[in-house]
Amino acid sequence: MPIKVVHTADNHVDLKYSHYPEKAQLRLRRERLDALGRVVREANNREADVLVVAGDLFDREGLKFVTVQTLKQVVELLTAFRGDRVLVLPGNHDFCAGDDSDLWTRMREEIGNYPVFVLATPEVHRCEIGGQKVEFYPCPC
């Protein structure tokens, strides 16, 4: 049985657009969230098993750059995925600075028991999907 994977990357949620007028900044920032929501809806429509966010979900690393409200909105969108799991890899913009990374620590807290996994280390992520053993080999920043 095939496993369906939907992949996205470089979402750059909470990009500031500081060179634009304030009204445009707000609209463009909202569009980043809306686009992520459309990816999740499309993955659900296609009955995907896995949604992979392969880096730069956020535009910057740290809660001093990403608002808690935005982080909660992102988690709400990702947890709306109806497949088996969501895999999120930190990228070069939202890299994981280690165990003290406030962004990824808070993200994990907000996720709770939902099947959303932050793959911040290069350890193999093993799981079973549709009765098949699957291995993902992450390469996070």
Side-chain angles (χ1 to χ4, degrees), residues 42-56:
E42 188 62 27
N44 286 336
N45 290 340
R46 292 177 181 264
E47 298 179 347
D49 298 297
V50 181
L51 173 60
V52 176
V53 182
D56 296 338

Side-chain angles (χ1 to χ4, degrees), residues 10 15 19 22 30 35 44 48 50 67 75 93 102 122 130:
D10 295 306
L15 181 65
H19 297 298
E22 186 176 346
R30 181 70 225 168
N44 286 336
V50 181
T67 67
V75 169
H93 286 257
D102 59 355

Side-chain angles (χ1 to χ4, degrees), residues 43 108 137-138:
R108 287 184 185 97
Y137 293 82

Side-chain angles (χ1 to χ4, degrees), residues 67-81:
T67 67
V68 172
Q69 177 186 1
T70 299
L71 181 92
K72 288 182 177 191
Q73 290 172 316
V74 166
V75 169
E76 184 178 324
L77 291 170
L78 294 178
T79 57
F81 178 62

Side-chain angles (χ1 to χ4, degrees), residues 50-123:
V50 181
L51 173 60
V52 176
V53 182
D56 296 338
L57 174 59
F58 300 101
D59 188 58
R60 304 275 306 267
E61 191 283 324
L63 290 176
K64 64 183 176 186
F65 301 110
V66 178
T67 67
V68 172
Q69 177 186 1
T70 299
L71 181 92
K72 288 182 177 191
Q73 290 172 316
V74 166
V75 169
E76 184 178 324
L77 291 170
L78 294 178
T79 57
F81 178 62
R82 295 189 305 259
D84 190 78
R85 65 194 56 232
V86 177
L87 305 177
V88 179
L89 287 82
N92 64 317
H93 286 257
D94 59 3
F95 58 90
C96 183
D99 292 337
D100 61 343
S101 174
D102 59 355
L103 173 65
W104 296 111
T105 298
R106 182 63 183 262
M107 176 92 168
R108 287 184 185 97
E109 290 170 3
E110 293 295 330
I111 291 166
N113 293 324
Y114 287 97
V116 177
F117 301 89
V118 176
L119 305 182
T121 63
E123 297 166 17

